[in-house]
Amino acid sequence: YTDICRIHQSTNGNLYIQHNTASSTWETSIQAIPNGAVQLYYDNASKANTYSGGFYMQDIAKVQGVAGGDATLLLYADAAGQNADHWKVASEHVGNGFTISSYAGGASWETVFKGTDARTAELHYQGSKKFETNSGGVEVTGGTLNMDSAAMQFSGNLALPNVGACLFRPAADTVAFGINNGQRVSVNQYGLLFGTDTAAANALDDY
């Protein structure tokens, strides 16, 4: 049955490409509608069609690369050829990452966002990684963390991290500074304390 096909024009004016199934019924593969639309079918159900605004797909759209290659979707906002509106969404074969890249620079694709196979997320600036998630939270790369009209809130207690310099929350109502793998100073509800001291009597709470 699968080798029996027909081109059929219905009384409604639509043009169909159909094939005959094992149940001796005609199932549509392509339908052309007089107003200009074209519909594509799978198992006799419409899955994609053209319309006045472009192209519409139902359910899941799958882009799969060839063996050893990436799966890539290019997005261009208009036909003017401006680099600033050129974007690439790709599932990368090498590195197993998912990336969103910009061609705004005009020389090469620069990563803006990357999701990795380790289920981490990275944010980039002009192709360089600046922010990423990890098992401990987040990590910022670079010399500056700018916060405009915002507050940094600490929740949960954390032992002194094994890093050169850090700001952390060792206990409730406390923020501490760690330098060279040692807690040097902290601020709690009593005031300023040195080292790991937490006693209210030793806190500096005034000039």
Side-chain angles (χ1 to χ4, degrees), residues 5 14 26 35-36 40 46 55 61-62 64-65 79 94 99 106 126 132-133 145 152 154 161 175-176 179 188 192 201:
C5 301
N14 295 350
W26 291 101
N35 66 6
L40 303 179
S46 177
F55 188 73
K62 182 178 181 180
Q64 181 171 334
V94 177
T99 60
Q126 294 186 350
E132 66 180 311
T133 61
L145 174 61
M152 182 180 294
F154 295 84
V175 175
I179 303 293
N188 63 16
L192 180 67

Side-chain angles (χ1 to χ4, degrees), residues 57-160:
M57 291 180 289
Q58 301 182 54
D59 299 328
I60 298 175
K62 182 178 181 180
V63 179
Q64 181 171 334
V66 299
D70 299 341
T72 303
L73 178 65
L74 300 179
L75 304 174
Y76 295 171
D78 57 46
Q82 298 175 350
N83 292 328
D85 59 22
H86 293 185
W87 292 88
K88 178 175 71 172
V89 179
S91 176
E92 299 178 335
H93 171 68
V94 177
N96 300 321
F98 168 82
T99 60
I100 299 176
S101 304
S102 168
Y103 201 74
S108 62
W109 291 103
E110 294 183 343
T111 300
V112 176
F113 169 85
K114 181 175 183 178
T116 73
D117 59 349
R119 283 85 68 195
T120 65
E122 301 176 359
L123 299 180
H124 292 237
Y125 175 77
Q126 294 186 350
S128 297
K129 181 174 62 176
K130 298 299 181 182
F131 182 95
E132 66 180 311
T133 61
N134 56 38
S135 60
V138 300
E139 182 175 340
V140 178
T141 301
T144 304
L145 174 61
N146 291 322
M147 301 180 64
D148 185 6
S149 300
M152 182 180 294
Q153 181 176 343
F154 295 84
S155 61
N157 300 336
L158 179 67
L160 175 66

Side-chain angles (χ1 to χ4, degrees), residues 38-40 46-59 61:
V38 176
Q39 293 183 344
L40 303 179
S46 177
K47 295 298 181 182
N49 62 273
T50 61
Y51 73 109
S52 59
F55 188 73
Y56 172 78
M57 291 180 289
Q58 301 182 54
D59 299 328

